[in-house]
Amino acid sequence: MFFGEYRHNIDTKGRLIIPAKFRNQLKQHFMITRGLDGCLFGYTASQWEQVQTEVDQLPFNKSAARKFSRLFFSAATECELDKQGRVNLPEPLRAYASLTKQCVLTGVSSRFEIWDAARWQKYNEQAQTEFNDIAEDLLDF
């Protein structure tokens, strides 16, 4: 399970330190792809298999399902950590999430997310103002 919030800088070569608490769960190989809301999603290998199964069950005759599947899988990259605990993020993923310098890595249960720090701050501030309303709406779900 991933949880917590960590701040690290991405270097000019696209390398980003993965927090030690995340590294312990990721093992040798893991996956990173486009996420929602302008961030990247990271998954352990076993969790990636579950996500892949779920996405594969979307109705391929629906345009939205095909678009989502194409965008989600076409950007996916298998990653491994270097000796310093860093991952090298490909340029298309860095561009998608607007990652240039300061990044925030957040744990979100079965995945982790990588955000541009300014984008995360803006998203987080807005979401916090709606937190109680969101909780009420989801309790009805």
Side-chain angles (χ1 to χ4, degrees), residues 82-99:
D82 67 12
K83 293 177 183 177
Q84 287 78 38
R86 301 173 300 187
V87 63
N88 191 358
L89 297 172
E91 194 282 326
L93 287 178
R94 294 192 315 262
Y96 171 79
S98 302
L99 304 177

Side-chain angles (χ1 to χ4, degrees), residues 11 15-18 23 80-82 84-88:
D11 69 16
R15 297 175 299 196
L16 178 66
I17 293 173
I18 300 296
R23 290 193 304 255
E80 60 183 86
L81 298 169
D82 67 12
Q84 287 78 38
R86 301 173 300 187
V87 63
N88 191 358

